[in-house]
Amino acid sequence: MTGPIIEARAIHKHFGALHVLKGIDLAVIERELVFVIGPSGSGKSTLLRCLNRLEEPDSGSIIVDGIDLLDRRTDINRARQRIGMVFQSFNLYPHMTALGNVTLALRKVTGRRRAAADEIGRAALTRVGLADRAGHYPNQLSGGQQQRVAIARAIALEPRVMLFDEPTSALDPELVGGVLAVMRELRQSGMTMVVVSHEMGFARAAADRVLFMDEGSIVEQGPPAQIFGEPREERTRAFIGQIQRH
């Protein structure tokens, strides 16, 4: 069995007096899709942001692809090239085309020349189904297309791991399918993924493992069939029961 590509141990995070993460342990093996569910305020997004040090944990250790992220000597910008992140908001530059948004980091961070960056960028846009939108600006694209550009921007850097923080929650329902289709393709290609989302149908169908978080702790984890069908913990049962009623 492959060793973990992500290994977080004893992660604690406070925001002032609020104890948001309470000693989280998480190991993700290569090519695994781990889905994190739980009520609002349970610490899901904070955990994800700690995994690429957008948030600084107060204590604990995080190793991603052999890099100790919390070691002060680690070049975090270089390390983040291996950790793609897709947010709820698309964070695209409005004055740049889709291709320009995708290639910016390739040119600025990896030093690629424009022609080489454009070639990689076009391939990434093709992969997310937007080859014909390379010259469009964000305001000419639907929300779903903008999110797919954001995914293309992340995968253009050839990360080893992808983190998705509520990637569909800002989208109209009819636009969600296109984004999930791209995520499904990434999964099939072997990308290691950690996903925070309310898309429970996608979790059931695509996840290898589902984590249920509540009040800063991982309450329960297991295969989708167990978590959705036969959860062991009372808090998990209550949450699953609630979402299945809606």
Side-chain angles (χ1 to χ4, degrees):
M1 189 165 165
T2 321
I5 191 168
I6 298 174
E7 191 160 20
R9 293 195 176 278
I11 299 300
H12 286 267
K13 176 65 182 174
H14 293 77
F15 291 113
L18 195 62
H19 196 176
V20 181
L21 297 178
K22 301 173 181 173
I24 297 284
D25 291 324
L26 173 64
V28 180
I29 61 171
E30 208 165 342
R31 303 173 76 92
E32 191 176 20
L33 195 170
V34 175
F35 216 93
V36 186
I37 65 172
S40 295
S42 56
K44 307 182 300 292
S45 291
T46 302
L47 171 61
L48 217 57
R49 292 169 69 86
C50 284
L51 293 180
N52 69 355
R53 247 182 72 194
L54 281 174
E55 296 287 356
E56 292 282 347
D58 297 320
S59 60
S61 68
I62 299 173
I63 312 286
V64 178
D65 197 22
I67 298 171
D68 182 348
L69 287 195
L70 303 185
D71 186 326
R72 294 297 162 202
R73 295 165 297 184
T74 295
D75 180 343
I76 191 61
N77 290 324
R78 194 179 189 115
R80 281 195 190 124
Q81 291 177 41
R82 304 187 186 199
I83 311 167
M85 179 123 186
V86 177
F87 301 89
Q88 180 175 342
S89 53
F90 323 123
N91 297 335
L92 300 180
Y93 289 105
H95 63 287
M96 294 180 129
T97 63
L99 184 61
N101 271 282
V102 172
T103 58
L104 182 64
L106 285 166
R107 292 187 291 112
K108 300 291 188 197
V109 178
T110 70
R112 295 282 207 315
R113 293 181 183 277
R114 184 176 289 276
D118 282 358
E119 187 177 340
I120 295 166
R122 287 182 191 282
L125 286 169
T126 298
R127 195 167 170 191
V128 300
L130 292 175
D132 58 339
R133 298 288 194 274
H136 287 56
Y137 290 89
N139 66 1
Q140 298 172 306
L141 301 171
S142 71
Q145 289 170 335
Q146 290 183 59
Q147 189 61 294
R148 282 150 60 196
V149 171
I151 295 172
R153 176 178 57 190
I155 63 175
L157 290 168
E158 298 187 345
R160 302 273 284 124
V161 169
M162 285 284 285
L163 309 176
F164 289 87
D165 189 8
E166 301 279 10
T168 59
S169 63
L171 301 179
D172 292 332
E174 68 270 20
L175 302 177
V176 167
V179 173
L180 294 183
V182 170
M183 293 172 69
R184 214 168 257 121
E185 189 277 324
L186 284 175
R187 159 133 187 58
Q188 286 161 356
S189 73
M191 178 65 75
T192 306
M193 298 160 68
V194 183
V195 180
V196 170
S197 175
H198 295 292
E199 298 292 340
M200 299 300 167
F202 182 65
R204 283 174 185 270
D208 294 299
R209 182 160 45 116
V210 177
L211 269 59
F212 171 65
M213 283 185 70
D214 193 24
E215 296 182 353
S217 298
I218 296 174
V219 175
E220 185 171 358
Q221 57 181 302
Q226 179 216 312
I227 297 298
F228 290 110
E230 299 174 20
R232 299 191 179 114
E233 300 293 328
E234 181 54 46
R235 275 191 288 173
T236 317
R237 280 198 292 273
F239 179 77
I240 297 297
Q242 191 177 19
I243 59 173
Q244 285 175 344
R245 282 196 295 273
H246 290 295

